[in-house]
Amino acid sequence: MSVANPRLRLVNDSETAVEPVVRLRQLNRHFGKNHILRDLDLDIGKSEFIALLGRSGSGKTTLLKLLAGIDQADGGEFTAPANRTVVFQEPRLLPWKKVWENVALGLPGSEGRTRALQALEEVGLAHRVDAWPGTLSGGEAQRAALARALVREPELLLLDEPFASLDALTRIRMHGLVDALWRAHRPAVLIVTHDVDEALLLADRVLMLDQGRITLDEPVAAARPRTLADPQIQAQRTRLLARLGVTPKGEDRP
């Protein structure tokens, strides 16, 4: 598939093997002289759950936007499924449409409503299908956004810090919901997060991005379901926090 930028080769799904779902090679993105992503290589396997960590400004959201098709790289090879969806930090529900109508956006007729109602039941919002978005709590709105993403049965689900604005208890519930939905639907998932605990509880692999390069790529070995009390999780948490510059006392290193 040809693209406007001659230095970026976007490989069509039909031209590549089924595995991996996402394949990036020597991907670059810059704004003027500011290089956001540098010669980045990444594979994401079918149904694999990846967490992407990194300090602010490391390029995490830029990478997610490239994978989502919202932005375009300046060079490299890029393979991703056409059927991919995004859940952002803000639910981005249309306030003039009811909850089920938001979930059914782009889906045809009565089939769209049926699928939307099924998706809303799956995320625990069967009682809110006819509600207006402005009446939802933060957790309910984010569940509606998840339903909207999953109703399309994506091969790749992209999550851009979707729980950052939620309170601690709601985040815990959302972690359980996302894990259950991933097990049921089995899309490949990339979640961008600042939360090391979230990454370790949800992901198969944890990546760390620093100055536009992946500087760490390691599996989460602990068996599911996971708890933060697991010694394996605690040890990996300590290592990851140290890589992010956080001391045991919680103070950032200079």
Side-chain angles (χ1 to χ4, degrees):
M1 180 184 297
S2 62
V3 293
N5 188 333
R7 291 183 293 165
L8 175 65
R9 178 170 171 257
L10 177 58
V11 184
N12 191 287
D13 288 346
S14 62
E15 299 172 351
T16 188
V18 174
E19 302 286 358
V21 172
V22 171
R23 184 177 187 272
L24 309 180
R25 291 294 181 270
Q26 298 293 296
L27 205 70
N28 285 276
R29 183 69 174 112
H30 59 80
F31 298 96
K33 295 182 179 180
N34 187 16
H35 278 77
I36 307 301
L37 300 175
R38 296 173 179 267
D39 299 327
L40 190 143
D41 293 344
L42 174 63
D43 288 343
I44 301 177
K46 184 178 181 181
S47 299
E48 190 174 22
F49 201 129
I50 303 292
L52 182 62
L53 295 168
R55 300 188 187 205
S56 296
S58 61
K60 301 186 304 298
T61 295
T62 298
L63 176 56
L64 182 137
K65 287 181 177 179
L66 290 172
L67 290 173
I70 299 171
D71 194 10
Q72 188 179 49
D74 295 301
E77 294 185 6
F78 173 87
T79 305
N83 186 9
R84 55 195 191 266
T85 55
V86 188
V87 178
F88 296 97
Q89 183 174 339
E90 309 83 16
R92 302 192 181 189
L93 302 176
L94 301 179
W96 59 88
K97 288 185 177 291
K98 293 182 178 181
V99 169
W100 78 263
E101 292 174 315
N102 271 276
V103 174
L105 280 172
L107 299 178
S110 60
E111 178 192 353
R113 176 177 169 83
T114 299
R115 289 171 60 184
L117 296 183
Q118 290 172 344
L120 286 165
E121 182 176 6
E122 196 171 10
V123 300
L125 288 180
H127 62 300
R128 301 290 271 154
V129 296
D130 288 317
W132 298 103
T135 68
L136 301 180
S137 68
E140 287 175 333
Q142 205 61 298
R143 279 189 277 161
L146 273 172
R148 182 177 57 194
L150 288 170
V151 75
R152 288 154 180 80
E153 293 291 341
E155 293 179 69
L156 175 63
L157 175 63
L158 301 165
L159 305 174
D160 189 12
E161 300 189 61
F163 316 128
S165 62
L166 302 179
D167 64 82
L169 288 177
T170 303
R171 279 203 307 273
I172 291 171
R173 296 189 187 102
M174 292 298 290
H175 291 162
L177 177 61
V178 166
D179 183 68
L181 292 171
W182 171 69
R183 289 170 180 270
H185 295 269
R186 302 299 290 176
V189 178
L190 176 74
I191 183 170
V192 169
T193 180
H194 286 282
D195 188 336
V196 170
D197 293 346
E198 182 171 270
L200 292 173
L201 289 172
L202 291 175
D204 297 314
R205 274 164 60 208
V206 176
L207 310 180
M208 196 170 293
L209 200 61
D210 186 27
Q211 296 183 348
R213 292 187 171 94
I214 293 175
T215 58
L216 179 141
D217 181 347
E218 67 178 51
V220 182
R224 299 175 186 271
R226 299 172 184 150
T227 71
L228 296 177
D230 187 314
Q232 285 184 293
I233 294 292
Q234 290 181 354
Q236 194 166 15
R237 180 180 187 271
T238 299
R239 291 197 307 273
L240 292 174
L241 287 173
R243 290 289 295 263
L244 290 167
V246 179
T247 69
K249 293 182 180 180
E251 299 173 352
D252 289 348
R253 291 202 303 261

